Amino acid sequence: MSQGHHQGFWTKYIFSTDHKMVARQFLLLALGMAVFGGFYAFLIRWQMAFPNQPAPFFGPVTPDKYNVIITMHGTIMLFFVGMPLLNAFPSNFLVPLMIGARDMAFPRLNMASFWMTVVAAILLMSSFFVPGGPAAAGWTGYAPLSASSEYTGVKIGAVLWLLSLAFVFISSSLGGINYLVTVVTMRAKGMSYSRIPLTVWFLLAAAFTFFLAAGPVLAGAFMLLMDNVFGTGFFLPFKGGEPLLWQHLFWFFGHPEVYVLFFPTLGFCLDIIAVFARKPIFGKKLIIGSTIAAIALSFVVWAHHMFVTGMNPTLVTPFAITTILISVPFAIIYVCMFMSLKGGSIRLEPPMIWVLGFLATFLVGGLTGIFLGAAGADIYLHATYFVIAHFHYTFFPSVFFGGYAAINYWYPKMFGRMLNKTAAILHFVLTFIFFNCTFWPLFIVGMGGMVRRIADPSFYPQFAIFSHLNVFATISAMCLISSQTIFLWNFFYSMKNGKKAELNPYESNTLEWLAQSPPPHGNWGPKLPVVTGDPYEYSQPGEASDWKSQSSYKGDAIHG
Amino acid sequence: MAAKAGTKKIKEITENKMEPAKLGILLFIAAEMMFFAGLISAFLVFRFSPAPWPPEGQPRLPIAVTAVNTALLILSAFTFYKALELLRKGKKGMYLLLLVTTFLLGIQFLIIQGNEWMKMVQFGLSIHANPYGGFFYGLVGLHGIHVFGGVLALLWVLVRSLMGAYNAQKNLGVDICRTYWFFVVGLWPILFGLIYL
């Protein structure tokens, strides 16, 4: 292929088809959008702790603005931070490198997928400048609120929101097809399916789940768009429409989407655990089998988001059963992770610390999910802050702890430099403490009966007893958001000034560490690596060193 | 025990089993199927609800013309199927003839559908009175857009064929276009049966 091939500024940095550049573009997009998502999180918390006092850098959070803010916070964090950070960025960067390919199967489709996401982000942000403002029906866009402008006063904003989501869904589906095709058709010699690292397996699981789930919600979005533009009334009761149908179509996608934002993190964690515990992964086949079971089950649990909507009560029990059942495969994977740690010679480097932090915090999110899957408990808890605390205890560890673990781990390969270790550890400690201080009180507040989706808590005198907890959570949230500046500084400062990274600083087995840091266009020298081993052959009895690379490829000797 | 993991017998992969583009289009079609499955399931919720369907005062849909149109669209799948088989046998002349036939059948499908659509608008099938009209225009329209996409792909393949890009051995582009065309054609009888009959 094209070693030393000359690339102009535009083809190298902007309309790049190189999977590594597309990955970095997705990463920067995610970090940029996270600033907005974080700011809206701050505004929500501010209003909960100090109702109707002007928020710094913003002003008073009035009810109409509050609706916009929660809608934007959810939409941005899931589709413009979570998905780029956990799916697009690592899939683009790691899939070709870890399977020994030179690029994606469809590099131009890859570029198109990134720019479609940019168009989606522009559509979403442009809705701030149209009459009526941005969508305000929540990130779930429940009909009939979202189906007609008479409820929220938003018309153009709702259309832009739907178009933006459509672009993200299509772009992510096309991206997913690209990753799947790449793995099936472009593996290096010797890279059999059983030798593919778990990170790639889980990225594929996420891509596969997403592209099966995206169709129905796109269909729903199409119908909602027709309701908004042509007044078809699919979801409007007074025209004979079915508002609950939107929720069914949305959650049929929405629940698998939860795992789309969780699978990649499981993959990173398993690969990082193997490297930093110097042990093979415990029960690799069990993990893959559990993942397949979880994917299958994830398509038949969606109605547990709808227990309180007035859907047919006969359906509640089957959905409660499938929901509780889906915790079994994840429990198995969790146990496999702990067993992989057990007896290992653990190296507490920043990526490993993030993984351990993930294991501790996500567990809380996973276990509280069981309360919400049980219909009886859910009916009491569903409309309260307990749900907010629960899903932030799942999403935040998954997207941020998992995302930071991945960035810390693969940063040397991406930029050829090491992150500052002290800053990385400080960032972890502060994030870990303030994350728990932000969301733990919300469990208590929620169990006490404080309802979510309210714009002004001072309107309800019975919630006054929670104000000290709300203030504590808000101050913690502000500290949590501020702590992220340490990461941003470290990320950008180390790119130019970090310590030069060795090719394989963590003594890892997987293929990406054999390429140059950063890998050149085309990744490998004239010859592709030939794979001779399993990715998890650590501390094998009788071997001189405690690791054994998957290939004997000598990358640095060939590159000029 | 020591050599267990190292000498484990694993099949070496020598050649790629599948054309990336072929697998890509199959996955793309799978995603499209999920999209239409969502729309069709939404349609079924209304179709089999206790309320009368079609609602009173709405015009009936043109069954006879559309049935003929459906038959012609299915014929186009057959001509496309034959076309590639002939190309693979090296019969380029017959291939081009059948490819042009497929292309023309695709265009006539769009013309007849568009014509019927215009008539429905004149007869007063409203898009915003209730979901009945919405589903007609939405589903038929979406399928029409897909056929239009297929016709554009066919035009591309046709132009490339006239430039001599394909032969008995090298015909992946035709194959991919044909796979997509099969999907577009195969979807229509389902929609026809559900919406019209």
Side-chain angles (χ1 to χ4, degrees):
Chain A
M1 232 164 95
S2 41
Q3 274 78 45
H5 156 80
H6 177 75
Q7 294 168 296
F9 172 80
W10 285 92
T11 50
K12 185 165 183 199
Y13 293 106
I14 309 296
F15 296 106
S16 172
T17 54
D18 187 314
H19 71 99
K20 299 172 294 293
M21 185 53 73
V22 176
R24 274 175 267 182
Q25 288 173 328
F26 268 116
L27 177 60
L28 287 179
L29 177 78
L31 294 179
M33 292 302 277
V35 174
F36 292 100
F39 182 63
Y40 299 140
F42 156 71
L43 291 178
I44 295 169
R45 281 316 313 165
W46 178 271
Q47 174 69 2
M48 288 301 107
F50 314 108
N52 304 323
Q53 294 174 34
F57 318 112
F58 189 78
V61 183
T62 53
D64 56 327
K65 284 183 185 155
Y66 183 82
N67 285 347
V68 166
I69 288 165
I70 55 166
T71 306
M72 285 293 158
H73 171 70
T75 308
I76 288 176
M77 283 305 196
L78 288 169
F79 300 120
F80 294 94
V81 179
M83 299 226 12
L85 187 61
L86 285 193
N87 297 284
F89 146 66
S91 299
N92 274 303
F93 189 73
L94 296 173
V95 165
L97 280 170
M98 286 183 125
I99 63 168
R102 293 198 188 276
D103 206 315
M104 286 286 176
F106 311 115
R108 271 177 298 180
L109 185 71
N110 214 15
M111 175 184 82
S113 149
F114 172 71
W115 284 103
M116 280 172 82
T117 313
V118 172
V119 169
I122 291 170
L123 282 172
L124 189 73
M125 300 318 279
S126 67
S127 66
F128 279 94
F129 307 104
V130 297
W139 80 274
T140 51
Y142 279 172
L145 283 184
S146 53
S148 171
S149 58
E150 65 204 46
Y151 297 107
T152 53
V154 178
K155 187 164 176 78
I156 308 172
V159 172
L160 287 172
W161 179 76
L162 281 166
L163 288 176
S164 166
L165 288 195
F167 268 97
V168 173
F169 294 154
I170 294 171
S171 128
S172 310
S173 299
L174 294 178
I177 291 172
N178 209 348
Y179 317 142
L180 286 161
V181 173
T182 305
V183 173
V184 173
T185 62
M186 296 180 69
R187 279 164 292 132
K189 201 170 176 222
M191 181 57 90
S192 64
Y193 284 109
S194 63
R195 284 172 173 170
I196 292 175
L198 284 166
T199 295
V200 176
W201 270 118
F202 276 101
L203 287 170
L204 286 193
F208 183 72
T209 312
F210 183 83
F211 104 105
L212 285 183
V217 79
L218 263 175
F222 174 75
M223 289 161 70
L224 199 51
L225 196 63
M226 282 184 74
D227 275 8
N228 273 291
V229 178
F230 301 114
T232 42
F234 290 120
F235 303 120
L236 291 170
F238 63 87
K239 285 193 173 171
E242 292 273 0
L244 267 193
L245 178 62
W246 164 259
Q247 290 198 31
H248 280 291
L249 289 170
F250 184 86
W251 287 117
F252 181 84
F253 155 81
H255 202 83
E257 168 73 6
V258 169
Y259 300 120
V260 172
L261 293 173
F262 175 50
F263 285 147
T265 293
L266 285 179
F268 310 149
C269 287
L270 285 159
D271 271 0
I272 291 171
I273 284 172
V275 173
F276 293 93
R278 315 307 293 167
K279 268 188 68 190
I281 287 300
F282 179 90
K284 190 179 157 199
K285 279 185 184 152
L286 200 58
I287 290 170
I288 291 173
S290 301
T291 313
I292 294 167
I295 293 174
L297 276 171
S298 75
F299 285 96
V300 289
V301 296
W302 78 88
H304 68 226
H305 297 270
M306 301 166 57
F307 286 155
V308 295
T309 57
M311 67 172 205
N312 189 340
T314 325
L315 278 173
V316 168
T317 311
F319 276 106
I321 291 171
T322 51
T323 304
I324 308 265
L325 208 58
I326 204 169
S327 54
V328 174
F330 289 118
I332 292 174
I333 296 175
Y334 235 78
V335 170
C336 288
M337 285 188 179
F338 283 119
M339 291 302 284
S340 305
L341 286 170
K342 185 170 171 268
S345 24
I346 291 176
R347 298 178 178 175
L348 279 179
E349 298 280 331
M352 185 63 161
I353 298 174
W354 279 109
V355 169
L356 297 176
F358 165 81
L359 288 174
T361 47
F362 186 87
L363 191 61
V364 177
L367 291 176
T368 50
I370 298 173
F371 292 77
L372 298 170
D378 182 68
I379 287 164
Y380 174 72
L381 293 170
H382 193 84
T384 71
Y385 264 84
F386 189 88
V387 171
I388 305 275
H390 157 69
F391 71 69
H392 282 91
Y393 258 98
T394 56
F395 276 130
F396 195 101
S398 196
V399 173
F400 290 105
F401 283 54
Y404 286 140
I407 292 171
N408 273 280
Y409 182 56
W410 280 292
Y411 191 93
K413 193 46 67 182
M414 262 191 295
F415 299 106
R417 308 228 174 217
M418 303 297 283
L419 282 171
N420 182 311
K421 197 171 160 182
T422 321
I425 292 173
L426 182 68
H427 172 223
F428 167 78
V429 170
L430 293 177
T431 303
F432 185 82
I433 292 172
F434 291 124
F435 162 72
N436 284 295
C437 291
T438 303
F439 292 105
W440 194 275
L442 300 188
F443 280 123
I444 304 165
V445 164
M447 278 189 286
M450 179 160 167
V451 293
R452 61 191 171 119
R453 294 175 178 149
I454 48 167
D456 181 1
S458 67
F459 190 75
Y460 307 84
Q462 67 269 36
F463 297 156
I465 50 165
F466 303 125
S467 65
H468 62 287
L469 280 172
N470 271 321
V471 169
F472 179 74
T474 297
I475 291 168
S476 305
M478 284 151 74
C479 295
L480 176 64
I481 295 168
S482 320
S483 312
Q484 306 315 305
T485 50
I486 302 173
F487 167 75
L488 288 177
W489 170 82
N490 199 359
F491 185 86
F492 289 107
Y493 179 83
S494 304
M495 221 182 267
K496 285 268 174 287
N497 309 302
K499 198 176 79 172
K500 275 244 182 253
E502 299 159 43
L503 277 191
N504 189 356
Y506 308 118
E507 302 179 313
S508 166
N509 286 351
T510 43
L511 286 188
E512 78 273 27
W513 298 106
L514 298 174
Q516 278 187 332
S517 304
H521 194 55
N523 295 350
W524 315 100
K527 276 188 178 164
L528 288 173
V530 175
V531 178
T532 51
D534 189 85
Y536 303 113
E537 289 177 16
Y538 292 101
S539 307
Q540 294 297 316
E543 299 277 346
S545 114
D546 70 348
W547 60 291
K548 186 159 164 273
S549 182
Q550 273 193 283
S551 166
S552 54
Y553 173 85
K554 291 276 180 288
D556 45 339
I558 294 167
H559 285 301
Chain B
M1 190 61 199
K4 189 187 148 215
T7 58
K8 212 191 280 173
K9 276 236 181 284
I10 293 168
K11 261 187 285 173
E12 296 281 305
I13 290 155
T14 47
E15 279 293 303
N16 293 332
K17 298 272 182 325
M18 205 164 187
E19 278 293 341
K22 183 89 197 200
L23 180 62
I25 194 77
L26 288 175
L27 288 170
F28 178 73
I29 288 171
E32 287 264 43
M33 280 176 172
M34 288 305 290
F35 175 61
F36 278 99
L39 286 168
I40 289 170
S41 64
F43 173 79
L44 292 175
V45 167
F46 287 93
R47 179 73 185 76
F48 295 107
S49 77
W53 191 269
E56 285 167 28
Q58 292 294 324
R60 292 297 175 270
L61 303 174
I63 293 179
V65 180
T66 315
V68 174
N69 211 11
T70 307
L72 289 173
L73 190 66
I74 294 172
L75 182 66
S76 79
F78 183 71
T79 54
F80 206 164
Y81 169 77
K82 263 300 190 200
L84 181 55
E85 298 308 303
L86 288 168
L87 177 65
R88 282 182 177 150
K89 289 188 189 125
K91 294 178 183 164
K92 273 196 178 174
M94 281 301 285
Y95 155 72
L96 273 177
L97 188 66
L98 282 175
L99 194 67
V100 171
T101 314
T102 312
F103 176 69
L104 292 177
L105 282 170
I107 295 222
Q108 71 77 34
F109 178 83
L110 285 176
I111 291 171
I112 295 180
Q113 285 289 82
N115 197 27
E116 291 306 310
W117 186 323
M118 284 306 156
K119 276 191 200 157
M120 294 319 291
V121 174
Q122 281 166 18
F123 289 157
L125 178 61
S126 159
I127 192 169
H128 47 71
N130 54 48
Y132 181 70
F135 272 118
F136 174 78
Y137 292 114
L139 279 174
V140 172
L142 272 177
H143 180 261
I145 290 170
H146 280 77
V147 176
F148 183 66
V151 166
L152 285 184
L154 261 166
L155 185 63
W156 169 251
V157 168
L158 195 57
V159 171
R160 299 257 304 151
S161 303
L162 291 172
M163 287 159 60
Y166 305 116
N167 56 42
Q169 287 77 39
K170 198 172 147 290
N171 48 40
L172 184 65
V174 189
D175 195 357
I176 284 159
C177 181
R178 186 175 74 160
T179 311
Y180 180 71
W181 191 253
F182 285 170
F183 161 69
V184 169
V185 173
L187 179 65
W188 179 248
I190 302 170
L191 293 179
F192 176 63
L194 285 170
I195 297 173
Y196 288 76
L197 302 179

